[in-house]
Amino acid sequence: MMINCTPFCFSFAVSSKIEPFYKGGKVQISKDGKYIFCTCGTKVNILDIATGRVSHSIEQDDQEDITSFTVSPDDEILVTSSRALLLKQWDWRENNCTRTWKAIHTAPVASMTFDPTSTLLTTGGCDSTIKVWDVVKQYCTHNLKGSSGVVHVVEFHPDISRLQLFSSSMDCKIRIWDLKSSKCVSVLESHYSAVTSLSFTHDGNTLVSSGRDKICTVWDLKTKTPTRTVPVFETVEAVVLLPKQGDFSKLGVRSKEPHFITAGSKGVLRVWEANTARCVFTQTVPARPQLAEVGGGEEPDEHSLTHCLLLPATNRIATVTAEHNFLLSDLHTLVLEQQFVGYNDEVLDVKFLGPADSHIVVATNSPQLKVFDLATSNCQILHGHSETVLALDVFRTGSMFASCAKDKTISVWQMNTETGVVCCVAQGSGHANAIGSISCSRMKQSFVVSGSQDCTIKVWDLPESLETRGGSPEVLHARVTEKGHDKDINSIAISPNDKLLATGSQDRTAKLWSSADLSLLGVFKGHKRGIWCLQFSPMDQILASSSADGTVKLWGLQDFRCLKTFEGHDASVLKVIFVSRGTQLLTSGSDGLLKLWTIKTNECVKTVDAHEDKIWGLHGNKKDDLVVTGSADSCITLWKDVTEIELAEEQAKQEDQVIKQQELSNLLHEKKYFKAMGLAISLNQPHTVLMVIKGILANEDGTEQLEKTILKLRRDQKESVLRFCGVWNTNARNCLEAQAVVQVLLQHESPEELLQYSGVRAALEGLLPYTERHFQRISRLLRASMFVDYMWQNMRLTGNASCGENQDEEMEDLSLGGPALSFTIYPNPSMGLDSEGGDSARLEEAERQGRGEVEEEEESSQQEDGESDDDDVSAANKGVKSRQAGSPEEGKENIEPESGSEGGSDGEEPMDERKNEEQKLVRRETEARPEKMTAGNQAETQSATPRTRREMRLRR
């Protein structure tokens, strides 16, 4: 057994699938015998015979079911028709529809075929009409009317020079159409039921027709009369003529007269001599238990053959059964060589088979078992049960397995390890109802245990020489029988040492038994619904159970106590197995989910949506690296443990990331911005790309460098950068870089090229709103800056032109917080204030008077300190006298004396008049230019006088 490096499994990936590819309808095989064309709902599947896999799948765009199709004799053209009344011409190798046209029929097309030259196509419709199309010139050449009911058979005569078309409809007549005159030239009447197929001899003078009236008719096309009616005593679905060349002596062919092969309800191929109406050979088939139960010698429907096709290129003959199985046999011996299953129906159980787990055995909703070779998908169909097989189990060696069914019997099967052929070696009966569970011994191939709906358990001993016996199956007898439960027994499990067995039932309990005498050892109670599956741990004395209550429980075999409960499924848990050497559980539910659980942590580490319906089958191989699942959706899936692969990939990815990150750091340090940007994009690091762009823009010619760098990027890299810009643009700090990149792309990329970018729509939707927001913010900032600029242009810095010895005092005043500078608002000459009655002159005069008062008060303060000058004193006295004179035109600066200062009461009234005059002057100026005068200008004008007053107080 291969030992994994990691203790736990974390991930499963699909290794291969066996899916339905044929659900009934027409079947055709390519001329070279390599491909099988068949319908499956809305698809035409092309099966590669060599590999058993669907190589191509042609699907209708309108999701309508395909009613008919045909392939040209040269294998170049495939034409399909759907319920939408459209014909489509395909290049099937390239999966490309080359032409679509209306079928003109008023009802769906029921049959189609090409002529031998692959130029003419005929369609028979459910509207009783036949149309002939020229596929080269692409037009309808003939519209043939006269048939009755659905035209379900159309065939061209093999000699194209005759230009004859044969058809049959629901009136059971064969009509011969002359394409030159577009008329029905003859009607062949012989059958009393629907005609199913037409086959021509090599010379084209003889026609053999088959029908569901259990006869075949041989026609002479020269005289248009029947030469022989052959009763075949079965419903014939297909008839083919043996080739003229070849040795068919093993088929009883002794003469060169025409011989034909029939396929019908009996499920076997038979060879008939046309002239004598004698059956010369009958194909041998495996023994079928149903023969004893079906009366009248008629085979049941599941064994009947629905199609029969010749493969001259490979000397094989292909047949299709009613159960949608494809059988490929040797043409010269009719020995079965290959089988493919087109549809499995519901998969009820699946197990690995073979010493190397090279095969799987599947129980579907049928009495037959199917053994698939995983390498070639070749299927071996096993006949042994008469009713649906319900459960399977495989012995430890892998070459022997057991099955149980609704027919109340069990069967033991042996596989030949050399040839892969499986045969039934033993059978046993004795239960009173359907057997729903079976389990095989683990140590040796010594016994089998079965559980039935009759609530009993039976132990069946196997003889030691069983695997070498030949001939008829060995009859088994139950060694011991015990009533185990009150309801149906759903599951049986045998311990690894063969000493114990456990049973789970619909009565919500599981029980532990001794395998020797079926003595009861203990009962496990705790589930709230019926138990579907039981499994012993390969490492510990633990039993796992899954139930319809959606939980999985682990039970101790010593005290029968529930150790752990795993909750996570929302539906019934149908199967449970141990994986990773008993450290993990894998469960499947009726909701189509697979869940992987770690026992130690009670954690569900992986959930896989595996199927679309209930997963009834779940099994792991011996190496513990493959798991197979089978579901009611008809799919069988092989899952591979890819934990080690993913860990190795993750480790390699991390190492690569570290190397690239170091390289990126070096490039940024060396200022190789282009390479750094490309590497950062490949690492999907938007922040690093942003730093690179900021580094480029920091240079003197940053805009040009950025433009060159962006234009050098590949298209996918540009797409990534554009996606990054949407993220950067959401932040005002990075919007300039984002807008610079977008500007480069918009300037150098045409709109058509930008529309080809992947994700461009999402990127633009993310860029537009934030770009508008940034534009509005910048517009507001621009307006504010223009206002500041306007204020700066209309302000003049003024200060006291003090002498050198007073500068130190001014500095001290500044340190004390007093204003040493003052701002004065000057009118803008462009505002035209002179036109408003000389306001400019009055403002200038008021300003001069204000400066004179400031100088006078400064001079008076200097006289008190003994530092004043005589000229300054006289100027100050003149200023005081002029103010006391009450001149309204002078002293516009509103300077109020300090409270309690000397002479304050004498100058109070003139100072109030000056203040009122100044306010009137400001009011007139504001009214003269209301649209341009701002609140800031008024504040500056009114605050000029208080600043001067505070300056005087500080200097005193």
Side-chain angles (χ1 to χ4, degrees):
M1 179 180 293
M2 184 182 67
I3 298 176
N4 296 331
C5 296
T6 56
F8 298 115
C9 171
F10 294 102
S11 182
F12 286 98
V14 176
S15 176
S16 62
K17 276 188 176 183
I18 299 176
E19 296 181 297
F21 62 86
Y22 174 64
K23 295 182 179 179
K26 185 176 180 180
V27 176
Q28 192 170 343
I29 298 180
S30 61
K31 185 178 180 180
D32 57 8
K34 295 182 178 180
Y35 299 98
I36 297 176
F37 298 82
C38 54
T39 57
C40 185
T42 61
K43 299 179 181 179
V44 173
N45 290 321
I46 298 118
L47 183 75
D48 189 344
I49 295 177
T51 62
R53 307 287 182 184
V54 175
S55 60
H56 301 81
S57 185
I58 306 298
E59 186 171 7
Q60 295 278 126
D61 296 334
D62 51 13
Q63 296 297 316
E64 292 285 346
D65 287 345
I66 294 176
T67 59
S68 184
F69 76 93
T70 187
V71 182
S72 61
D74 58 3
D75 293 341
E76 295 297 328
I77 302 174
L78 170 68
V79 178
T80 61
S81 65
S82 66
R83 295 189 181 276
L85 305 181
L86 292 177
L87 295 176
K88 287 181 177 289
Q89 180 176 323
W90 302 82
D91 181 1
W92 59 272
R93 288 186 174 87
E94 300 295 332
N95 197 10
N96 180 32
C97 181
T98 58
R99 181 187 169 210
T100 301
W101 73 96
K102 291 183 179 180
I104 306 179
H105 291 277
T106 58
V109 175
S111 57
M112 303 172 66
T113 189
F114 270 97
D115 76 325
T117 63
S118 302
T119 58
L120 293 179
L121 170 70
T122 182
T123 58
C126 296
D127 57 359
S128 306
T129 64
I130 302 171
K131 292 178 172 56
V132 182
W133 309 82
D134 189 328
V135 296
V136 177
K137 297 181 181 179
Q138 301 181 358
Y139 69 97
C140 181
T141 60
H142 300 78
N143 184 16
L144 308 177
K145 298 181 180 180
S147 300
S148 176
V150 177
V151 182
H152 56 269
V153 176
V154 287
E155 290 289 343
F156 281 97
H157 193 279
D159 186 1
I160 192 59
S161 62
R162 297 189 186 185
L163 286 176
Q164 288 182 341
L165 177 67
F166 293 73
S167 69
S168 179
S169 58
M170 299 303 294
D171 58 2
C172 311
K173 299 177 181 179
I174 302 172
R175 289 178 171 82
I176 304 176
W177 304 85
D178 184 5
L179 298 182
K180 295 179 182 178
S181 60
S182 298
K183 294 182 179 179
C184 178
V185 296
S186 182
V187 178
L188 308 181
E189 297 185 35
S190 173
H191 292 278
Y192 298 95
S193 185
V195 176
T196 54
S197 67
L198 304 173
S199 183
F200 298 90
T201 58
H202 181 69
D203 57 9
N205 295 326
T206 303
L207 169 68
V208 180
S209 62
S210 65
R212 294 195 176 100
D213 52 4
K214 301 182 181 181
I215 64 170
C216 291
T217 305
V218 182
W219 303 86
D220 185 353
L221 295 181
K222 292 182 179 180
T223 61
K224 308 295 190 299
T225 58
T227 60
R228 178 69 67 179
T229 298
V230 182
V232 295
F233 306 107
E234 68 171 332
T235 301
V236 182
E237 295 293 337
V239 60
V240 295
L241 280 159
L242 283 175
K244 190 175 182 180
Q245 304 296 329
D247 180 15
F248 300 101
S249 58
K250 293 183 179 181
L251 300 181
V253 177
R254 299 288 184 266
S255 64
K256 293 186 178 180
E257 298 298 328
H259 289 72
F260 60 89
I261 301 175
T262 59
S265 59
K266 287 189 176 181
V268 295
L269 297 176
R270 293 193 288 177
V271 183
W272 301 81
E273 189 175 4
N275 293 340
T276 62
R278 184 171 58 93
C279 179
V280 297
F281 183 83
T282 301
Q283 184 186 27
T284 58
V285 295
R288 296 170 182 170
Q290 293 89 339
L291 287 173
E293 299 182 5
V294 178
E298 187 71 32
E299 287 291 324
D301 291 338
E302 61 264 17
H303 296 304
S304 64
L305 302 178
T306 58
H307 296 83
C308 184
L309 304 166
L310 282 180
L311 286 72
T314 57
N315 289 321
R316 303 171 92 180
I317 186 170
T319 55
V320 183
T321 69
E323 287 193 330
H324 311 121
N325 300 325
F326 291 80
L327 286 68
L328 298 175
S329 306
D330 183 77
L331 182 59
H332 299 286
T333 62
L334 296 187
V335 175
L336 184 63
E337 294 181 345
Q338 266 184 298
Q339 291 186 89
F340 300 108
V341 177
Y343 183 66
N344 281 312
D345 206 349
E346 292 188 22
V347 179
L348 302 182
D349 205 355
V350 58
K351 302 288 183 182
F352 280 103
L353 183 64
D357 295 326
S358 58
H359 295 68
I360 57 172
V361 56
V362 183
T364 61
N365 193 21
S366 72
Q368 289 81 38
L369 287 170
K370 297 169 184 175
V371 178
F372 289 90
D373 186 344
L374 296 178
T376 62
S377 295
N378 182 33
C379 178
Q380 186 178 170
I381 299 177
L382 307 179
H383 301 274
H385 292 281
S386 59
E387 293 187 44
T388 303
V389 179
L390 297 178
L392 301 167
D393 197 22
V394 181
F395 288 92
R396 184 177 180 181
T397 58
S399 59
M400 187 180 291
F401 66 95
S403 62
C404 60
K406 286 184 177 181
D407 58 5
K408 310 170 189 176
T409 64
I410 67 167
S411 297
V412 180
W413 307 81
Q414 177 71 43
M415 180 181 185
N416 189 323
T417 56
E418 296 180 359
T419 62
V421 177
V422 180
C423 60
C424 182
V425 294
Q427 286 183 329
S429 61
H431 280 285
N433 210 330
I435 305 173
S437 59
I438 194 166
S439 184
C440 301
S441 58
R442 300 302 172 206
M443 299 292 289
K444 296 181 180 180
Q445 300 174 2
S446 56
F447 65 93
V448 174
V449 182
S450 61
S452 170
Q453 293 179 6
D454 60 10
C455 307
T456 63
I457 309 165
K458 288 182 180 290
V459 179
W460 311 79
D461 285 333
L462 302 181
E464 294 181 0
S465 59
L466 180 63
E467 56 185 87
T468 59
R469 289 180 181 270
S472 60
E474 180 79 16
V475 178
L476 301 179
H477 299 281
R479 172 168 55 87
V480 59
T481 302
E482 184 71 29
K483 184 180 184 301
H485 293 270
D486 298 329
K487 292 185 179 181
D488 299 353
I489 298 175
N490 294 330
S491 178
I492 292 181
I494 297 178
S495 62
N497 60 3
D498 286 346
K499 293 183 179 180
L500 303 174
L501 65 90
T503 57
S505 170
Q506 282 293 107
D507 62 5
R508 307 177 187 178
T509 64
K511 294 183 179 181
L512 188 66
W513 311 80
S514 171
S515 61
D517 54 1
L518 286 185
S519 58
L520 182 63
L521 303 178
V523 180
F524 305 97
K525 294 183 179 180
H527 283 292
K528 298 179 181 179
R529 295 284 180 88
I531 296 174
W532 281 113
C533 184
L534 296 173
Q535 191 77 20
F536 281 96
S537 171
M539 307 298 292
D540 301 317
Q541 295 185 5
I542 293 174
L543 178 69
S545 64
S546 64
S547 170
D549 60 9
T551 64
V552 178
K553 292 181 181 290
L554 294 182
W555 310 86
L557 300 182
Q558 301 295 333
D559 52 5
F560 311 107
R561 184 171 54 89
C562 179
L563 304 178
K564 288 191 176 183
T565 300
F566 301 88
E567 297 180 354
H569 281 279
D570 295 330
S572 299
V573 186
L574 302 178
K575 288 287 184 179
V576 57
I577 61 173
F578 284 89
V579 294
S580 302
R581 301 184 301 282
T583 59
Q584 290 181 299
L585 292 173
L586 187 63
T587 59
S588 64
S590 59
D591 52 4
L593 297 179
L594 277 178
K595 286 185 178 290
L596 181 65
W597 310 81
T598 299
I599 295 176
K600 185 176 181 180
T601 61
N602 269 48
E603 179 186 5
C604 178
V605 297
K606 186 73 173 180
T607 299
V608 181
D609 190 358
H611 293 275
E612 297 177 357
D613 210 334
K614 301 179 181 68
I615 303 177
W616 288 109
L618 176 64
H619 192 230
N621 67 341
K622 299 182 186 69
K623 293 183 178 180
D624 210 12
D625 61 348
L626 280 178
V627 173
V628 62
T629 58
S631 171
D633 62 3
S634 305
C635 291
I636 302 168
T637 307
L638 267 75
W639 304 85
K640 185 178 181 180
D641 181 5
V642 294
T643 303
E644 293 185 14
I645 298 174
E646 290 186 355
L647 288 176
E649 291 177 353
E650 184 66 25
Q651 184 177 359
K653 184 178 180 180
Q654 291 178 357
E655 292 176 356
D656 186 58
Q657 288 282 87
V658 171
I659 294 174
K660 287 184 177 180
Q661 196 67 37
Q662 183 60 45
E663 182 181 356
L664 179 61
S665 300
N666 296 338
L667 292 174
L668 291 174
H669 181 71
E670 297 171 3
K671 295 186 178 181
K672 296 180 180 180
Y673 293 122
F674 174 70
K675 292 183 178 180
M677 182 179 291
L679 188 56
I681 293 172
S682 65
L683 293 175
N684 194 24
Q685 296 183 356
H687 181 71
T688 306
V689 178
L690 178 62
M691 293 299 102
V692 172
I693 293 175
K694 287 185 176 181
I696 294 174
L697 294 176
N699 299 328
E700 295 181 359
D701 55 345
T703 305
E704 296 180 1
Q705 289 186 14
L706 179 63
E707 182 177 341
K708 293 178 181 178
T709 303
I710 296 296
L711 295 179
K712 288 180 182 179
L713 297 176
R714 300 189 309 270
R715 177 175 171 177
D716 60 324
Q717 294 175 329
K718 292 179 182 178
E719 293 172 356
S720 300
V721 173
L722 184 60
R723 187 174 68 253
F724 296 161
C725 288
V727 179
W728 303 337
N729 198 49
T730 60
N731 193 333
R733 297 179 180 178
N734 307 323
C735 66
L736 296 179
E737 290 77 11
Q739 294 297 326
V741 174
V742 173
Q743 181 181 3
V744 172
L745 292 176
L746 292 177
Q747 286 179 347
H748 296 85
E749 298 285 342
S750 64
E752 292 78 11
E753 293 176 345
L754 288 174
L755 289 175
Q756 298 300 322
Y757 284 15
S758 63
V760 65
R761 181 181 297 275
L764 291 179
E765 289 176 353
L767 282 169
L768 286 176
Y770 284 97
T771 301
E772 292 177 357
R773 185 179 301 178
H774 297 322
F775 179 76
Q776 294 172 0
R777 178 175 56 81
I778 293 175
S779 299
R780 292 194 300 269
L781 183 61
L782 181 60
R783 288 195 299 269
S785 64
M786 292 178 65
F787 175 74
V788 172
D789 183 65
Y790 168 77
M791 292 294 296
W792 176 257
Q793 295 295 334
N794 290 274
M795 295 168 64
R796 187 164 66 87
L797 182 63
T798 61
N800 185 15
S802 304
C803 57
E805 60 271 11
N806 294 331
Q807 289 181 358
D808 294 337
E809 295 181 4
E810 293 177 1
M811 294 300 295
E812 293 177 358
D813 294 339
L814 287 173
S815 63
L816 292 173
L821 302 175
S822 63
F823 294 94
T824 303
I825 301 297
Y826 282 86
N828 194 337
S830 62
M831 293 181 180
L833 293 179
D834 293 339
S835 61
E836 299 294 329
D839 288 340
S840 298
R842 286 194 296 272
L843 285 173
E844 293 175 0
E845 182 64 22
E847 183 180 354
R848 286 194 299 270
Q849 293 295 332
R851 286 197 299 270
E853 292 177 358
V854 171
E855 292 174 358
E856 289 173 359
E857 293 191 5
E858 288 180 353
E859 289 171 357
S860 62
S861 63
Q862 290 174 1
Q863 287 178 359
E864 292 177 358
D865 297 334
E867 298 178 355
S868 60
D869 189 79
D870 294 339
D871 297 335
D872 295 334
V873 172
S874 61
N877 292 335
K878 292 179 181 179
V880 171
K881 290 178 181 179
S882 63
R883 286 195 303 272
Q884 291 176 353
S887 176
E889 300 296 332
E890 297 175 0
K892 293 296 187 287
E893 293 291 335
N894 185 14
I895 302 176
E896 297 180 0
E898 287 185 343
S899 178
S901 61
E902 185 178 351
S905 58
D906 297 335
E908 182 176 357
E909 183 176 352
M911 290 177 66
D912 291 338
E913 292 177 359
R914 285 196 304 274
K915 181 176 181 180
N916 294 334
E917 187 66 27
E918 291 173 4
Q919 291 177 354
K920 291 179 182 180
L921 182 61
V922 171
R923 190 181 301 112
R924 283 196 302 270
E925 182 180 356
T926 305
E927 292 173 356
R929 47 189 182 110
E931 71 280 357
K932 294 185 179 181
M933 191 64 180
T934 62
N937 299 128
Q938 297 175 9
E940 287 292 333
T941 304
Q942 295 175 0
S943 62
T945 301
R947 288 196 188 102
T948 307
R949 187 178 66 251
R950 287 194 297 271
E951 183 180 355
M952 290 171 57
R953 284 201 301 267
L954 288 172
R955 288 179 178 174
R956 287 177 182 174

